[in-house]
Amino acid sequence: MHAAWQRTRDAEIPFDAQWGDIDIADRALGFTVNPIEFAGLSEFVDSLHEVGMKFVTIIDPHISTGEPAGTYPPFDEGNALDIWVKNASGQPLLGKAWPADFIYYPDYSNPVTHDWWVKNIDTFYSKLEWDGLWIDLNEPTNFVNGSVHGCPDNSLNYPPYKPYTEGPDLLQKTVCMDAQQHWGSHYDTHSMYGWSETEPTLRGVRETTQKRGLVLSRSTFVGSGRWTAHWLGDNWSEWDNLHFSIIGMLQFNQFGIPLVGADIC
């Protein structure tokens, strides 16, 4: 990361912030820093601040279920508070993402989850003094369709009419539609998952840093601009993608999100 930062500086390309993706985390566990491959990251961030730059890093919603009891507080405390998205049987829905083990999904529509989330943001800041948080994969994304155990055959998971979405059903790359949240079924609240994550994230950033802060979210909805910026998700380094990114940025300004951008490499 330092080498990439230095090359950009040497090329006199103007930029205000260095960003850290999921590879800075310890085995892709949220709220952690890889102590081997990113040893010295905290000192590097301090050096960025010394030259007037910022550091923004990523947090995914997925919480690994595979760490030994008592070693991963986000999971242990979340379990104790019972804050997970549930399957149709009332058990935490099991998904797959970047961590090696299966994951649970925090239910951000539950007010109890907000305090847990803010607390973990504060703890994370004590390890690494970032300036903003980039919340990704919050559609929510799932690397298996629906859940590790599949989804029941019902009218929520397989409705008689499917709007235009990728794949043969609504379960592609996300959770079961009959999964249960504080607000109701996931079928009714899917588009609000990222929306419900943004407010507690911004609150955590501001309370922790005591500054205005920044949140950047991949999943947004009407009103999200009150709490978060938006980026257009993964793209290709191709001219037609550049063309569509300009359209997308203008559209999101119309949607009430003034700070929006696209990947450029």
Side-chain angles (χ1 to χ4, degrees), residues 85-86 107-109 179-186 189-190 193:
V85 173
K86 304 294 177 51
D107 177 6
Y108 298 103
S109 70
Q180 294 300 307
Q181 298 178 229
H182 185 72
W183 283 344
S185 71
H186 193 74
T189 61
H190 174 80
Y193 190 86

Side-chain angles (χ1 to χ4, degrees), residues 220-235:
T220 54
F221 195 68
V222 175
S224 290
R226 180 178 179 184
W227 304 299
T228 185
H230 176 85
W231 105 100
L232 300 176
D234 300 338
N235 58 17

Side-chain angles (χ1 to χ4, degrees), residues 18 24 33 41-49 53-57 121-133 208-209 211:
Q18 179 67 41
I24 78 155
V33 176
L41 180 59
S42 182
E43 291 77 11
F44 173 58
V45 171
D46 290 342
S47 71
L48 293 178
H49 293 153
M53 296 187 69
K54 308 295 185 183
F55 185 77
V56 182
T57 194
I121 287 173
D122 183 69
T123 301
F124 186 38
Y125 186 78
S126 69
K127 305 172 185 176
L128 183 68
E129 293 191 3
W130 39 261
D131 300 283
L133 292 178
T208 296
T209 65
K211 296 178 181 178

Side-chain angles (χ1 to χ4, degrees), residues 37-216:
E37 295 180 10
F38 282 85
L41 180 59
S42 182
E43 291 77 11
F44 173 58
V45 171
D46 290 342
S47 71
L48 293 178
H49 293 153
E50 290 173 1
V51 296
M53 296 187 69
K54 308 295 185 183
F55 185 77
V56 182
T57 194
I58 200 166
I59 296 285
D60 293 341
H62 312 117
I63 302 298
S64 174
T65 63
E67 298 304 297
T71 65
Y72 187 44
F75 175 78
D76 296 327
E77 294 167 5
N79 247 1
L81 294 169
D82 191 27
I83 59 166
W84 313 120
V85 173
K86 304 294 177 51
N87 62 23
S89 301
Q91 300 301 313
L93 185 142
L94 205 59
K96 185 72 180 77
W98 292 122
D101 297 293
F102 296 139
I103 55 91
Y104 286 167
Y105 294 86
D107 177 6
Y108 298 103
S109 70
N110 184 346
V112 175
T113 307
H114 293 194
D115 293 337
W116 165 86
W117 189 248
V118 169
K119 178 183 178 182
N120 280 285
I121 287 173
D122 183 69
T123 301
F124 186 38
Y125 186 78
S126 69
K127 305 172 185 176
L128 183 68
E129 293 191 3
W130 39 261
D131 300 283
L133 292 178
W134 164 22
I135 48 178
D136 192 15
L137 304 184
N138 54 350
E139 289 75 23
T141 296
N142 193 354
F143 290 2
V144 298
N145 295 331
S147 82
V148 170
H149 300 120
C151 304
D153 185 0
N154 57 43
S155 61
L156 293 182
N157 292 319
Y158 303 98
Y161 170 76
K162 185 185 84 69
Y164 178 76
T165 58
E166 181 179 304
D169 52 55
L170 296 178
L171 311 175
Q172 302 297 304
K173 301 180 182 179
T174 192
V175 303
C176 299
M177 292 296 111
D178 64 352
Q180 294 300 307
Q181 298 178 229
H182 185 72
W183 283 344
S185 71
H186 193 74
Y187 182 90
D188 293 327
T189 61
H190 174 80
S191 295
M192 305 296 290
Y193 190 86
W195 185 94
S196 62
E197 183 188 13
T198 55
E199 187 279 330
T201 304
L202 181 61
R203 176 153 45 95
V205 168
R206 287 179 170 173
E207 290 181 5
T208 296
T209 65
Q210 293 297 299
K211 296 178 181 178
R212 183 174 65 175
L214 171 75
V215 175
L216 178 73

